[in-house]
Amino acid sequence: MLSQLSLKTNSHSELVDITSLLKETVTNSKVRDGICYVFVPHTTAGLTITENTDSNVKRDLLMKLNKVIDWNDKDYHHSEGNSAAHIKAAMVGFSLTVFIRNGQLLIGTWQNIYFAEFDGPRPRKVWVKII
Amino acid sequence: MLSQLSLKTNSHSELVDITSLLKETVTNSKVRDGICYVFVPHTTAGLTITENTDSNVKRDLLMKLNKVIDWNDKDYHHSEGNSAAHIKAAMVGFSLTVFIRNGQLLIGTWQNIYFAEFDGPRPRKVWVKII
Amino acid sequence: MLSQLSLKTNSHSELVDITSLLKETVTNSKVRDGICYVFVPHTTAGLTITENTDSNVKRDLLMKLNKVIDWNDKDYHHSEGNSAAHIKAAMVGFSLTVFIRNGQLLIGTWQNIYFAEFDGPRPRKVWVKII
Protein backbone atom coordinates (compact mmCIF):
# COMPACT_ATOMS: atom_id res chain seq x y z
CA MET A 1 0.00 0.00 0.00
CA LEU A 2 1.40 3.36 -1.10
CA SER A 3 0.10 6.52 0.57
CA GLN A 4 0.88 10.17 0.17
CA LEU A 5 0.77 12.42 3.22
CA SER A 6 0.51 16.16 2.72
CA LEU A 7 1.81 18.69 5.16
CA LYS A 8 2.40 22.39 5.34
CA THR A 9 5.54 23.61 7.05
CA ASN A 10 5.48 26.93 8.88
CA SER A 11 9.10 27.99 9.27
CA HIS A 12 12.28 28.20 7.26
CA SER A 13 13.85 25.38 9.29
CA GLU A 14 11.56 23.08 11.24
CA LEU A 15 11.19 19.52 12.48
CA VAL A 16 7.54 18.53 11.98
CA ASP A 17 6.45 15.53 14.04
CA ILE A 18 4.85 13.03 11.62
CA THR A 19 4.69 10.11 14.07
CA SER A 20 0.92 10.19 14.55
CA LEU A 21 0.31 10.55 10.81
CA LEU A 22 2.48 7.48 10.26
CA LYS A 23 0.75 5.55 13.07
CA GLU A 24 -2.62 6.33 11.50
CA THR A 25 -1.36 5.14 8.11
CA VAL A 26 -0.16 1.89 9.70
CA THR A 27 -3.52 1.38 11.44
CA ASN A 28 -5.41 1.99 8.20
CA SER A 29 -3.24 -0.54 6.37
CA LYS A 30 -4.40 -3.32 8.72
CA VAL A 31 -0.88 -4.80 8.49
CA ARG A 32 -0.08 -6.67 11.71
CA ASP A 33 3.59 -7.49 11.18
CA GLY A 34 5.55 -5.77 8.50
CA ILE A 35 7.57 -2.77 7.49
CA CYS A 36 6.74 0.90 7.05
CA TYR A 37 8.94 2.69 4.52
CA VAL A 38 8.92 6.48 4.53
CA PHE A 39 10.30 8.57 1.67
CA VAL A 40 10.54 12.33 1.17
CA PRO A 41 10.33 13.33 -2.54
CA HIS A 42 12.04 16.71 -2.04
CA THR A 43 15.65 17.90 -2.17
CA THR A 44 15.60 20.61 0.51
CA ALA A 45 13.84 18.55 3.18
CA GLY A 46 14.50 15.14 4.68
CA LEU A 47 13.52 12.74 7.46
CA THR A 48 14.98 12.20 10.88
CA ILE A 49 14.34 10.69 14.27
CA THR A 50 14.94 12.50 17.53
CA GLU A 51 13.76 12.90 21.10
CA ASN A 52 10.05 13.49 21.61
CA THR A 53 10.20 15.11 25.06
CA ASP A 54 12.24 18.32 25.36
CA SER A 55 11.55 20.42 22.26
CA ASN A 56 14.91 22.09 22.79
CA VAL A 57 16.52 18.99 21.26
CA LYS A 58 14.83 19.81 17.94
CA ARG A 59 15.79 23.47 18.33
CA ASP A 60 19.43 22.59 19.08
CA LEU A 61 19.63 20.18 16.15
CA LEU A 62 18.40 22.82 13.69
CA MET A 63 20.54 25.56 15.29
CA LYS A 64 23.73 23.52 15.14
CA LEU A 65 23.25 22.21 11.60
CA ASN A 66 22.54 25.78 10.55
CA LYS A 67 25.78 26.92 12.14
CA VAL A 68 27.88 24.12 10.59
CA ILE A 69 26.24 24.34 7.15
CA ASP A 70 25.81 28.09 7.20
CA TRP A 71 23.42 29.64 4.76
CA ASN A 72 25.68 32.42 3.44
CA ASP A 73 29.00 30.81 2.51
CA LYS A 74 30.45 33.05 -0.23
CA ASP A 75 31.70 29.94 -2.04
CA TYR A 76 28.18 28.67 -2.86
CA HIS A 77 27.45 29.00 -6.60
CA HIS A 78 23.84 27.77 -6.79
CA SER A 79 21.71 30.60 -8.15
CA GLU A 80 18.68 29.91 -5.95
CA GLY A 81 20.82 30.48 -2.86
CA ASN A 82 19.48 27.48 -0.95
CA SER A 83 22.46 25.13 -1.18
CA ALA A 84 22.58 24.85 2.61
CA ALA A 85 19.10 23.29 2.60
CA HIS A 86 20.14 20.66 0.04
CA ILE A 87 23.24 19.77 2.06
CA LYS A 88 21.39 19.44 5.38
CA ALA A 89 18.70 17.29 3.75
CA ALA A 90 21.44 15.01 2.34
CA MET A 91 22.97 14.79 5.82
CA VAL A 92 19.79 13.57 7.55
CA GLY A 93 18.61 11.55 4.55
CA PHE A 94 15.39 10.99 2.59
CA SER A 95 14.27 7.46 3.45
CA LEU A 96 13.54 5.63 6.68
CA THR A 97 12.56 2.04 7.43
CA VAL A 98 10.51 1.28 10.54
CA PHE A 99 9.14 -2.06 11.73
CA ILE A 100 5.48 -2.84 12.41
CA ARG A 101 4.56 -5.34 15.14
CA ASN A 102 1.06 -6.23 16.33
CA GLY A 103 -0.34 -3.54 14.09
CA GLN A 104 1.79 -0.86 15.76
CA LEU A 105 4.73 1.21 14.51
CA LEU A 106 7.70 -0.05 16.51
CA ILE A 107 9.89 2.85 17.62
CA GLY A 108 11.96 3.54 20.73
CA THR A 109 10.45 5.05 23.89
CA TRP A 110 12.09 8.43 23.32
CA GLN A 111 11.86 8.43 19.54
CA ASN A 112 9.52 10.33 17.27
CA ILE A 113 9.81 10.62 13.50
CA TYR A 114 10.20 14.08 12.01
CA PHE A 115 9.89 15.69 8.62
CA ALA A 116 12.98 17.89 8.45
CA GLU A 117 12.17 21.13 6.65
CA PHE A 118 15.26 23.13 5.69
CA ASP A 119 13.81 25.59 3.17
CA GLY A 120 10.24 26.38 4.17
CA PRO A 121 7.61 27.33 4.69
CA ARG A 122 6.16 25.20 1.90
CA PRO A 123 3.53 22.58 1.18
CA ARG A 124 5.32 19.21 1.30
CA LYS A 125 4.67 15.51 0.62
CA VAL A 126 5.72 12.32 2.37
CA TRP A 127 5.31 8.94 0.69
CA VAL A 128 4.65 5.88 2.82
CA LYS A 129 4.64 2.27 1.72
CA ILE A 130 3.58 -0.53 4.04
CA ILE A 131 4.19 -4.21 3.41
CA MET B 1 11.55 -12.56 11.99
CA LEU B 2 12.14 -9.72 14.43
CA SER B 3 15.07 -9.97 16.87
CA GLN B 4 16.41 -7.73 19.57
CA LEU B 5 20.15 -7.58 20.15
CA SER B 6 21.44 -6.23 23.45
CA LEU B 7 24.77 -4.59 23.86
CA LYS B 8 26.66 -2.62 26.44
CA THR B 9 28.76 0.29 25.28
CA ASN B 10 31.90 1.16 27.20
CA SER B 11 32.78 4.72 26.26
CA HIS B 12 31.11 8.07 25.78
CA SER B 13 31.61 7.90 22.02
CA GLU B 14 32.28 4.54 20.45
CA LEU B 15 31.74 2.52 17.28
CA VAL B 16 30.79 -1.02 18.35
CA ASP B 17 31.23 -3.62 15.63
CA ILE B 18 27.92 -5.54 15.37
CA THR B 19 28.73 -7.37 12.12
CA SER B 20 29.18 -10.79 13.69
CA LEU B 21 26.01 -10.39 15.78
CA LEU B 22 24.13 -9.56 12.59
CA LYS B 23 25.72 -12.47 10.70
CA GLU B 24 24.66 -14.83 13.48
CA THR B 25 21.10 -13.45 13.34
CA VAL B 26 21.03 -14.03 9.59
CA THR B 27 22.31 -17.58 9.98
CA ASN B 28 19.71 -18.33 12.65
CA SER B 29 16.92 -17.02 10.43
CA LYS B 30 17.72 -19.67 7.77
CA VAL B 31 16.85 -17.08 5.12
CA ARG B 32 18.87 -17.80 1.94
CA ASP B 33 18.03 -14.74 -0.15
CA GLY B 34 16.46 -11.72 1.42
CA ILE B 35 16.99 -8.52 3.30
CA CYS B 36 18.28 -7.70 6.76
CA TYR B 37 16.88 -4.48 8.21
CA VAL B 38 18.64 -2.99 11.22
CA PHE B 39 17.07 -0.29 13.42
CA VAL B 40 18.37 1.52 16.51
CA PRO B 41 15.54 2.56 18.90
CA HIS B 42 17.56 5.31 20.60
CA THR B 43 18.02 9.02 19.94
CA THR B 44 21.65 9.47 21.02
CA ALA B 45 23.06 6.50 19.10
CA GLY B 46 22.81 5.41 15.49
CA LEU B 47 24.17 2.99 12.91
CA THR B 48 26.96 3.33 10.41
CA ILE B 49 29.28 1.42 8.12
CA THR B 50 32.99 1.97 7.94
CA GLU B 51 36.34 0.31 7.34
CA ASN B 52 37.03 -2.89 9.27
CA THR B 53 40.83 -2.85 9.07
CA ASP B 54 42.59 0.17 10.58
CA SER B 55 40.82 1.08 13.83
CA ASN B 56 42.09 4.64 13.40
CA VAL B 57 39.32 5.15 10.86
CA LYS B 58 36.74 4.69 13.63
CA ARG B 59 38.76 6.93 15.93
CA ASP B 60 39.07 9.66 13.29
CA LEU B 61 35.37 9.51 12.47
CA LEU B 62 34.39 10.00 16.13
CA MET B 63 37.08 12.65 16.68
CA LYS B 64 36.03 14.72 13.67
CA LEU B 65 32.28 14.53 14.30
CA ASN B 66 33.01 15.55 17.89
CA LYS B 67 34.97 18.55 16.66
CA VAL B 68 32.32 19.64 14.13
CA ILE B 69 29.35 19.00 16.44
CA ASP B 70 31.14 20.10 19.60
CA TRP B 71 29.66 19.12 22.93
CA ASN B 72 29.79 22.56 24.61
CA ASP B 73 28.26 25.06 22.22
CA LYS B 74 26.88 27.84 24.44
CA ASP B 75 23.84 28.11 22.16
CA TYR B 76 22.51 24.65 23.08
CA HIS B 77 19.32 24.93 25.20
CA HIS B 78 18.55 21.25 25.94
CA SER B 79 18.65 20.78 29.70
CA GLU B 80 20.25 17.32 29.64
CA GLY B 81 23.27 18.79 27.86
CA ASN B 82 23.57 15.98 25.29
CA SER B 83 22.30 17.75 22.18
CA ALA B 84 25.53 16.94 20.36
CA ALA B 85 24.77 13.22 20.71
CA HIS B 86 21.30 13.64 19.20
CA ILE B 87 22.72 15.62 16.27
CA LYS B 88 25.48 13.11 15.50
CA ALA B 89 23.01 10.22 15.67
CA ALA B 90 20.74 12.06 13.20
CA MET B 91 23.74 12.57 10.91
CA VAL B 92 24.70 8.88 10.68
CA GLY B 93 21.09 7.66 10.83
CA PHE B 94 19.06 5.01 12.65
CA SER B 95 18.19 2.42 10.01
CA LEU B 96 20.21 0.34 7.58
CA THR B 97 19.20 -2.14 4.86
CA VAL B 98 21.59 -4.94 3.93
CA PHE B 99 21.08 -7.75 1.41
CA ILE B 100 21.30 -11.48 2.17
CA ARG B 101 22.56 -13.88 -0.52
CA ASN B 102 23.19 -17.61 -0.13
CA GLY B 103 22.41 -17.30 3.57
CA GLN B 104 25.14 -14.68 4.04
CA LEU B 105 25.01 -10.99 4.88
CA LEU B 106 26.25 -9.27 1.72
CA ILE B 107 28.60 -6.39 2.56
CA GLY B 108 31.68 -4.96 0.89
CA THR B 109 35.16 -6.36 1.48
CA TRP B 110 36.23 -3.45 3.65
CA GLN B 111 32.86 -2.83 5.29
CA ASN B 112 31.73 -3.66 8.79
CA ILE B 113 28.52 -2.48 10.43
CA TYR B 114 28.80 -0.43 13.61
CA PHE B 115 26.52 0.67 16.41
CA ALA B 116 27.43 4.35 16.83
CA GLU B 117 27.30 5.31 20.50
CA PHE B 118 27.40 9.06 21.07
CA ASP B 119 26.30 9.28 24.71
CA GLY B 120 27.52 6.20 26.55
CA PRO B 121 28.41 4.13 28.30
CA ARG B 122 24.93 2.58 28.37
CA PRO B 123 23.05 -0.65 27.79
CA ARG B 124 21.62 -0.42 24.26
CA LYS B 125 19.31 -2.34 21.92
CA VAL B 126 19.40 -3.03 18.19
CA TRP B 127 16.33 -4.38 16.37
CA VAL B 128 16.80 -6.66 13.38
CA LYS B 129 14.16 -7.87 10.96
CA ILE B 130 14.92 -10.42 8.30
CA ILE B 131 12.66 -11.22 5.36
CA MET C 1 16.48 -9.82 -8.09
CA LEU C 2 19.99 -8.70 -7.12
CA SER C 3 22.04 -6.73 -9.65
CA GLN C 4 25.48 -5.23 -9.58
CA LEU C 5 26.09 -1.97 -11.40
CA SER C 6 29.65 -0.98 -12.25
CA LEU C 7 30.81 2.55 -12.63
CA LYS C 8 34.02 4.47 -12.99
CA THR C 9 34.35 7.74 -11.15
CA ASN C 10 36.50 10.49 -12.68
CA SER C 11 37.31 12.88 -9.86
CA HIS C 12 38.42 12.84 -6.26
CA SER C 13 35.01 14.03 -5.08
CA GLU C 14 32.07 13.61 -7.41
CA LEU C 15 28.31 13.02 -7.47
CA VAL C 16 27.62 10.53 -10.28
CA ASP C 17 24.00 10.46 -11.44
CA ILE C 18 22.87 6.81 -11.34
CA THR C 19 19.15 7.51 -11.83
CA SER C 20 18.96 6.20 -15.39
CA LEU C 21 20.99 3.08 -14.50
CA LEU C 22 18.51 2.43 -11.68
CA LYS C 23 15.50 3.08 -13.93
CA GLU C 24 16.88 0.61 -16.45
CA THR C 25 17.36 -1.97 -13.70
CA VAL C 26 13.76 -1.45 -12.58
CA THR C 27 12.48 -1.82 -16.16
CA ASN C 28 14.49 -5.02 -16.66
CA SER C 29 13.09 -6.50 -13.44
CA LYS C 30 9.52 -6.27 -14.83
CA VAL C 31 8.36 -5.43 -11.29
CA ARG C 32 5.22 -3.22 -11.49
CA ASP C 33 4.77 -2.30 -7.84
CA GLY C 34 7.54 -2.84 -5.36
CA ILE C 35 10.69 -1.51 -3.82
CA CYS C 36 14.15 -0.77 -5.17
CA TYR C 37 16.92 -1.06 -2.57
CA VAL C 38 20.28 0.45 -3.42
CA PHE C 39 23.47 -0.34 -1.47
CA VAL C 40 27.05 0.87 -1.88
CA PRO C 41 29.62 -1.75 -0.77
CA HIS C 42 32.41 0.79 -0.18
CA THR C 43 33.56 2.82 2.82
CA THR C 44 34.77 6.00 1.08
CA ALA C 45 31.70 6.48 -1.13
CA GLY C 46 27.98 6.60 -0.40
CA LEU C 47 24.59 7.40 -1.89
CA THR C 48 22.57 10.57 -1.87
CA ILE C 49 19.67 12.36 -3.50
CA THR C 50 19.80 15.95 -4.68
CA GLU C 51 18.52 18.39 -7.25
CA ASN C 52 18.78 17.31 -10.89
CA THR C 53 18.67 20.75 -12.51
CA ASP C 54 21.40 23.21 -11.53
CA SER C 55 24.69 21.29 -11.32
CA ASN C 56 25.96 23.93 -8.91
CA VAL C 57 23.91 22.21 -6.20
CA LYS C 58 26.13 19.13 -6.52
CA ARG C 59 29.22 21.32 -6.62
CA ASP C 60 28.14 23.26 -3.50
CA LEU C 61 27.31 20.07 -1.60
CA LEU C 62 30.77 18.62 -2.28
CA MET C 63 32.50 21.94 -1.61
CA LYS C 64 30.78 22.49 1.73
CA LEU C 65 31.23 18.93 3.02
CA ASN C 66 34.88 19.21 2.03
CA LYS C 67 35.20 22.42 4.02
CA VAL C 68 33.44 21.05 7.12
CA ILE C 69 35.16 17.66 7.01
CA ASP C 70 38.49 19.00 5.80
CA TRP C 71 40.98 16.56 4.34
CA ASN C 72 44.05 17.68 6.28
CA ASP C 73 43.07 17.83 9.95
CA LYS C 74 46.32 17.23 11.86
CA ASP C 75 44.39 15.11 14.37
CA TYR C 76 43.61 12.35 11.87
CA HIS C 77 45.59 9.18 12.67
CA HIS C 78 44.54 6.87 9.81
CA SER C 79 47.66 5.94 7.86
CA GLU C 80 46.01 6.00 4.42
CA GLY C 81 45.15 9.67 4.96
CA ASN C 82 41.58 9.37 3.64
CA SER C 83 39.62 9.62 6.88
CA ALA C 84 37.65 12.57 5.52
CA ALA C 85 36.24 10.33 2.77
CA HIS C 86 35.06 7.74 5.31
CA ILE C 87 33.38 10.42 7.42
CA LYS C 88 31.57 12.07 4.50
CA ALA C 89 30.37 8.67 3.24
CA ALA C 90 29.00 7.91 6.74
CA MET C 91 27.23 11.28 6.72
CA VAL C 92 25.33 10.71 3.47
CA GLY C 93 24.88 6.97 4.07
CA PHE C 94 25.25 3.71 2.15
CA SER C 95 21.71 2.47 1.56
CA LEU C 96 18.59 3.96 -0.01
CA THR C 97 15.05 2.67 -0.41
CA VAL C 98 12.94 3.89 -3.32
CA PHE C 99 9.40 2.87 -4.30
CA ILE C 100 8.36 1.40 -7.66
CA ARG C 101 4.88 2.15 -9.06
CA ASN C 102 3.52 1.13 -12.46
CA GLY C 103 6.94 -0.22 -13.35
CA GLN C 104 8.59 3.14 -12.72
CA LEU C 105 11.02 4.33 -10.06
CA LEU C 106 9.02 6.80 -7.97
CA ILE C 107 11.12 9.84 -7.09
CA GLY C 108 10.35 13.54 -6.68
CA THR C 109 10.24 15.94 -9.62
CA TRP C 110 13.52 17.58 -8.68
CA GLN C 111 15.25 14.48 -7.33
CA ASN C 112 17.94 12.38 -8.91
CA ILE C 113 19.91 9.63 -7.17
CA TYR C 114 23.67 10.02 -6.98
CA PHE C 115 26.65 7.82 -6.20
CA ALA C 116 28.72 10.00 -3.88
CA GLU C 117 32.42 9.49 -4.58
CA PHE C 118 34.65 10.95 -1.86
CA ASP C 119 37.98 9.26 -2.67
CA GLY C 120 38.21 8.70 -6.41
CA PRO C 121 38.80 8.31 -9.19
CA ARG C 122 38.14 4.58 -8.86
CA PRO C 123 36.10 1.74 -10.33
CA ARG C 124 33.06 1.31 -8.07
CA LYS C 125 30.09 -1.00 -7.58
CA VAL C 126 26.46 -0.39 -6.65
CA TRP C 127 24.19 -3.27 -5.59
CA VAL C 128 20.49 -3.11 -6.38
CA LYS C 129 17.76 -5.42 -5.14
CA ILE C 130 14.21 -5.19 -6.44
CA ILE C 131 11.22 -6.86 -4.83
Side-chain angles (χ1 to χ4, degrees), chain A residues 37 42 70 73 75 78 83, chain C residues 37 54 60 64 67 111:
Chain A
Y37 302 96
H42 304 288
D70 56 293
D73 190 314
D75 292 334
H78 179 41
S83 287
Chain C
Y37 302 97
D54 179 0
D60 289 355
K64 191 65 174 179
K67 214 182 253 196
Q111 290 185 326

Side-chain angles (χ1 to χ4, degrees), chain B residues 2-131:
Chain B
L2 183 59
S3 311
Q4 178 170 276
L5 309 178
S6 296
L7 49 110
K8 174 86 191 64
T9 59
N10 295 304
S11 310
H12 193 233
S13 286
E14 185 182 5
L15 295 186
V16 181
D17 191 341
I18 57 170
T19 317
S20 45
L21 274 172
L22 294 175
K23 285 182 173 171
E24 200 184 310
T25 309
V26 169
T27 304
N28 292 341
S29 76
K30 310 237 191 298
V31 169
R32 298 293 300 165
D33 287 278
I35 296 176
C36 173
Y37 301 96
V38 194
F39 184 86
V40 160
H42 304 288
T43 58
T44 56
L47 282 171
T48 196
I49 288 175
T50 199
E51 187 187 301
N52 52 24
T53 308
D54 179 0
S55 67
N56 277 328
V57 173
K58 292 184 281 176
R59 181 213 160 270
D60 289 355
L61 191 151
L62 295 172
M63 178 280 294
K64 192 64 175 179
L65 288 186
N66 206 43
K67 212 182 257 196
V68 172
I69 311 295
D70 56 293
W71 203 260
N72 294 309
D73 191 314
K74 287 191 177 58
D75 292 333
Y76 290 140
H77 286 194
H78 179 42
S79 55
E80 289 182 70
N82 61 355
S83 287
H86 290 87
I87 300 164
K88 289 186 280 188
M91 285 166 70
V92 298
F94 304 91
S95 68
L96 209 55
T97 301
V98 189
F99 306 145
I100 299 168
R101 194 180 54 177
N102 300 328
Q104 306 287 320
L105 201 64
L106 193 65
I107 55 175
T109 312
W110 307 104
Q111 289 185 325
N112 270 7
I113 301 172
Y114 296 89
F115 179 90
E117 173 64 84
F118 293 116
D119 195 22
R122 300 196 195 202
R124 296 291 202 173
K125 305 288 181 197
V126 177
W127 295 340
V128 184
K129 193 175 178 92
I130 291 172
I131 62 169

